[in-house]
Amino acid sequence: LWDDPQIAANGLRPLLARALAGEPVHLAPHRHDAAASVGRGAARHVELTVFPVKDDGGRVRELVLLHSDVTERVEAEAA
């Protein structure tokens, strides 16, 4: 995820850095082209919520990412 060039291009790295620092974050809908990242798939509009999971000492152990495809909603709002 961190190395995905689309994350940098969309200015999302600072938000992900906040999640790595322990803050839950929500990334507004943005266009993501799976083919550009992994070589297959289609462009979609996605929302991303990131929840840090902390250990007993309060350190971030891992991140849980909830990706939602909101393409239909974005397209309906634009119509």
Side-chain angles (χ1 to χ4, degrees):
L1 177 68
W2 193 260
D3 294 331
D4 185 337
Q6 292 178 87
I7 297 297
N10 287 321
L12 302 176
R13 279 197 178 146
L15 294 172
L16 292 176
R18 286 176 28 205
L20 287 169
E23 179 184 342
V25 295
H26 178 79
L27 308 178
H30 59 280
R31 186 178 181 278
H32 184 83
D33 186 353
S37 297
V38 296
R40 59 184 161 74
R44 309 295 292 169
H45 292 276
V46 296
E47 270 181 335
L48 178 64
T49 304
V50 185
F51 302 97
V53 177
K54 300 177 183 179
D55 63 18
D56 292 338
R59 293 176 299 273
V60 175
R61 234 185 62 213
E62 58 188 290
L63 298 175
V64 175
L65 285 72
L66 177 60
H67 241 146
S68 299
D69 181 345
V70 294
T71 303
E72 289 182 16
R73 185 183 84 203
V74 169
E75 290 174 351
E77 290 172 353

